[in-house]
Amino acid sequence: MSNLRLLAGPDLSSGAEAFADHNSRLGASPVGGRELIDTLTRSGMTGRGGASFPVGHKWQSVAASKRSAVVIANGAEGEPQSRKDRLLMTTRPHLVLDGAFLAARTLRAKQVVIYVGDQHQAAWAAMARALAERPEPERSLARMAAAPHRYVAGESSAAVHLVDSGVATPITTPPHPRDRGVAGAPTLVQNVETLAHVALIARYGDAWFRSAGRRGAIGTLLVTLAGAVKRPGVVEVEAGTTIEEALAIAGGISEPSTAVLLGGYFGAWVKASNASELPLDAAALHAQGLSLGCGVVGVHPASRCGVCDTARIMRYLATESSAQCGPCFFGLRALSDACSRVAERGTNREDIARLKRWSVEVQGRGACKHPDGAVIFLRSALNTFSDEFAAHPAHWRQQPA
Amino acid sequence: MSTTLLWYTTRGAGAVSMVLLSGVVVLGILSALRVQTAGWPRFLTTGLHRNLALMTLVFLALHIVTAVIDPFTHLGWLTAVVPFSSYYRTIWLGLGTIAFELLLAIVVTSLIRGFIGHVAWRLVHWLAYASWPIAIIHGIGTGTDTQSAWSIVLTIACVGSVAAAVGYRVLRGSSDPLASARSEFRAGIARRPEQ
Amino acid sequence: MSELHLTIDRIKCDGRGLCAELLPELIHLDDWGYPIIAPVPIPNQLAPHAQRAVASCPVLALALKRTIRSK
């Protein structure tokens, strides 16, 4: 595709692009500064970590404080189906680092932390090697930190908590990290893909960023295509590209599909018939009550049981609660148990009623969004697989996806 | 006020304080363990715990003031404040002073709990487990009434009920239903060496 | 116009349940003993009760927040 931006350049299979090659291809990174914040605000870019928070707004909040900031490049990528952050760190580490150091200079940061999931060994190695290639004072400003292999470790307050105390569990917000983060300093926690976009916007400007995008959406984004897809993996598409168009890049679907899990385990099920025309754009999806999340499109094959897969994912999300907040820990466990009972022993009215009641009650009652993500996922399952939930036989048709 | 009346008041208020304080300790433990029945809601336990604690201070004030102004003992106000400064029953009165000051710290921090935060408040509150036994030893050691039957019965009842409550608490372990799951999760993500 | 709201620090809250006893009009407990707060501003006549519920929380997880609402 001609409109590749983040993934333009040498073949991805050749591994990490060296610092010299990166600079000769794109030119050296600008210095950054106040005007970059305005450029980012005008670009309209939103964060690619899952929450789709406006980037310019976040930088403005951090810059508003008199204290010097901390920058955390978030490459935890705990979402099981997502691959895009890993791919980016493994192949274009200097785009991520450019973005991180642009943020550091713009926000007068005294510390940059490259936060990488400790199970992503290739990404970790590439980032560490890339960091060693950077000149001073960048090199000594930054350090690597390992995100434990848990779902909540990528949550921004959990990243702050890890840097502060070594414990990657979420903390109560407000205050949000952008106001009071690492050691009380305003902290920019930004997904690595977002930082890579920043590196290009700083070079080419906001108008250039806006020149990509379809159906009113702006920019490009990385999407992970998973499940029943001919060539599963990461593609870069223009925002606003439909799911069907994105799947076509990967050779289309590999078998008939009933539903798509959009946004990963934190996202929502959508019936396949409704999904194909959906645009991959955070704002447009939000308007429809959906979420792009971190850009995962999981194609669910008709041969698998939606109820059983929902039960399996609910069990995963329940065990990923960090057991800090009662409604999340007990609520998700009870929901997961009820789901598993329906999957194993068949539909019963009591459990369906419980699923409906609890999935509403639990929402909004955690320090972080973990319980919210889980119950939004579950409610979408009850909608999308309503027929299957209403008459589920006593089977447990599931193997790890 | 006659010396005799002062003396009786000191001893009586001391005994009442012992009973009240023991009740406060037991209620505190029951509250931490979330003991509750249909007819006994939880706010009753904590409310009673708080109010009995304040009442204990009143009786302790009576106990201390009457002891100090009693011309027979010549204790002086310093004794009420500085432990082991009394010539009279130095050790036993000193323990009483310590127990009182610990209790005062516990009550004052509870009244300003919102300002000092939960963690600091809780740390100070653990001092109850020092204050109460010191107070009991003070009572037994000072000894005016130690031999009398009513005093023996009261002391045994107080020690017995607090010991039972403490034992129950130790056996029950943490009352936070999330405690074990939380520490399990944290152990699973214990910090790894950074590179 | 300013409104009074109850907020809970969900990490501190360990489900003692005193708040639901003291302010049943606005707080009830879920199946695991953790409070669910009615998503409405606190009516004036309940403000003292809300205050008492806040003061009685054994772990200081409950708080009153005044928010200014422009009409």
Side-chain angles (χ1 to χ4, degrees):
Chain A
M1 203 169 77
S2 59
N3 49 9
L4 288 182
R5 288 178 164 185
L6 299 179
L7 302 183
D11 196 80
L12 295 177
S13 59
S14 54
E17 186 177 28
F19 191 41
D21 300 339
H22 165 83
N23 278 339
S24 67
R25 179 168 66 89
L26 297 168
S29 170
V31 176
R34 281 277 164 174
E35 68 286 352
L36 177 57
I37 300 180
D38 299 330
T39 308
L40 289 173
T41 306
R42 280 196 306 273
S43 78
M45 190 181 46
T46 53
R48 305 292 198 228
S52 302
F53 193 82
V55 175
H57 185 126
K58 200 189 241 184
W59 286 43
Q60 246 154 21
S61 303
V62 175
S65 168
K66 289 196 171 56
R67 295 189 56 176
S68 62
V70 174
V71 171
I72 299 179
N74 190 352
E77 194 162 57
E79 173 63 48
Q81 290 189 308
S82 182
R83 293 287 179 277
K84 55 115 178 159
D85 290 342
R86 250 166 286 183
L87 177 79
L88 190 64
M89 290 187 285
T90 312
T91 58
R92 300 287 181 267
H94 287 289
L95 271 185
V96 176
L97 290 180
D98 277 357
F101 290 121
L102 278 163
R105 288 187 295 265
T106 300
L107 304 169
R108 299 180 312 276
K110 57 183 188 299
Q111 194 187 353
V112 173
V113 179
I114 314 295
Y115 186 59
V116 181
D118 68 357
Q119 76 278 27
H120 309 328
Q121 280 140 4
W124 177 285
M127 291 306 291
R129 219 176 309 117
L131 193 56
E133 288 181 287
R134 305 294 289 207
E136 291 295 349
E138 286 185 354
R139 200 166 52 213
S140 43
L141 190 67
R143 67 180 176 94
M144 305 279 295
H149 187 193
R150 299 307 293 246
Y151 199 79
V152 294
E155 200 268 339
S156 59
S157 77
V160 167
H161 202 190
L162 180 115
V163 174
D164 258 349
S165 66
V167 185
T169 53
I171 45 186
T172 300
T173 55
H176 193 276
R178 60 180 177 266
D179 300 318
R180 271 183 67 84
V182 173
T187 301
L188 182 84
V189 184
Q190 200 89 76
N191 170 262
V192 288
E193 183 196 340
T194 314
L195 290 172
H197 283 292
V198 168
L200 296 179
I201 292 172
R203 284 178 170 89
Y204 307 129
D206 57 283
W208 168 84
F209 181 75
R210 302 179 72 94
S211 69
R214 305 167 65 183
R215 301 178 178 90
I218 41 177
T220 66
L221 65 137
L222 299 181
V223 175
T224 309
L225 304 171
V229 184
K230 286 230 175 82
R231 293 191 300 274
V234 178
V235 294
E236 182 174 11
V237 297
E238 287 189 77
T241 301
T242 65
I243 287 180
E244 190 171 34
E245 291 163 344
L247 289 171
I249 301 171
I253 58 174
S254 57
E255 57 176 298
S257 159
T258 46
V260 167
L261 179 54
L262 180 58
Y265 291 2
F266 241 45
W269 290 106
V270 185
K271 280 202 166 73
S273 49
N274 301 336
S276 50
E277 289 307 311
L278 286 176
L280 292 163
D281 171 46
L285 289 171
H286 183 75
Q288 301 196 35
L290 292 165
S291 148
L292 178 64
C294 56
V296 172
V297 175
V299 179
H300 192 253
S303 58
R304 289 179 68 99
C305 170
V307 174
C308 290
D309 274 344
T310 297
R312 182 177 54 76
I313 294 173
M314 278 309 290
R315 182 165 290 178
Y316 169 79
L317 289 172
T319 57
E320 289 302 305
S321 167
S322 58
Q324 298 195 100
C325 308
C328 174
F329 180 75
F330 293 108
L332 297 195
R333 198 170 64 174
L335 282 164
S336 158
D337 289 347
C339 247
S340 295
R341 279 195 299 271
V342 171
E344 278 171 44
R345 299 178 209 160
T347 297
N348 67 85
R349 200 175 301 158
E350 295 76 30
D351 278 326
I352 299 295
R354 286 191 191 110
L355 289 175
K356 287 186 174 154
R357 178 162 64 88
W358 288 337
S359 66
V360 172
E361 268 183 11
V362 166
Q363 176 129 19
R365 292 173 59 229
C368 74
K369 300 287 182 208
H370 186 72
D372 300 14
V375 297
I376 289 170
F377 162 80
L378 180 62
R379 290 206 301 263
S380 77
L382 293 171
N383 266 328
T384 305
F385 299 117
S386 56
D387 296 344
E388 290 88 335
F389 267 100
H392 191 259
H395 72 200
W396 180 253
R397 196 149 42 101
Q398 61 141 16
Q399 54 284 98
Chain B
M1 223 196 278
S2 80
T3 303
T4 320
L5 184 58
L6 281 174
W7 184 224
Y8 277 122
T9 310
T10 304
R11 286 154 60 198
V16 172
S17 297
M18 174 179 74
V19 173
L20 287 174
L21 190 61
S22 304
V24 170
V25 172
V26 169
L27 284 166
I29 291 171
L30 292 182
S31 148
L33 291 176
R34 307 162 181 233
V35 172
Q36 170 198 31
T37 65
W40 187 282
R42 286 171 184 172
F43 74 85
L44 205 57
T45 315
T46 52
L48 211 52
H49 170 72
R50 176 199 152 96
N51 291 342
L52 284 189
L54 293 173
M55 207 196 283
T56 307
L57 278 194
V58 173
F59 276 91
L60 274 180
L62 194 63
H63 174 67
I64 293 164
V65 169
T66 52
V68 168
I69 63 174
D70 189 333
F72 179 75
T73 51
H74 298 290
L75 287 179
W77 289 105
L78 204 63
T79 309
V81 186
V82 183
F84 310 114
S85 62
S86 149
Y87 73 94
Y88 173 79
R89 297 177 179 176
T90 309
I91 300 281
W92 307 119
L93 288 193
L95 290 178
T97 307
I98 290 176
F100 174 67
E101 286 172 349
L102 290 177
L103 182 65
L104 210 54
I106 292 166
V107 173
V108 169
T109 50
S110 293
L111 294 175
I112 57 164
R113 202 166 61 112
F115 293 98
I116 63 170
H118 181 64
V119 175
W121 167 80
R122 204 174 148 80
L123 275 176
V124 176
H125 231 70
W126 282 108
L127 291 176
Y129 286 112
S131 174
W132 178 83
I134 293 174
I136 295 291
I137 294 168
H138 153 80
I140 296 171
T142 317
T144 308
D145 297 308
T146 307
Q147 307 298 325
S148 50
W150 64 267
S151 160
I152 293 170
V153 169
L154 268 189
T155 308
I156 288 175
C158 287
V159 172
S161 49
V162 170
V166 170
Y168 186 44
R169 181 174 196 168
V170 170
L171 287 178
R172 277 272 305 270
S174 172
S175 66
D176 182 349
L178 280 172
S180 66
R182 194 180 286 188
S183 54
E184 230 169 77
F185 188 91
R186 293 213 165 188
I189 56 165
R191 184 176 209 151
R192 289 140 215 254
E194 283 174 23
Q195 295 171 31
Chain C
M1 236 186 95
S2 79
E3 288 176 342
L4 214 51
H5 282 268
L6 280 166
T7 62
I8 296 185
D9 184 323
R10 292 289 174 182
I11 294 181
K12 281 187 188 165
C13 173
D14 64 357
R16 297 289 193 91
L18 275 80
C19 54
E21 293 175 346
L22 293 167
L23 193 59
E25 296 88 344
L26 296 176
I27 303 178
H28 72 279
L29 301 180
D30 66 15
D31 293 9
W32 311 282
Y34 293 88
I36 299 176
I37 299 180
V40 294
I42 297 165
N44 281 338
Q45 74 275 15
L46 287 180
H49 297 275
Q51 194 71 59
R52 188 169 168 216
V54 166
S56 303
C57 176
V59 291
L60 290 174
L62 197 62
L64 277 171
K65 290 264 156 62
R66 190 169 283 286
T67 53
I68 308 296
R69 187 177 192 136
S70 51
K71 272 221 165 162

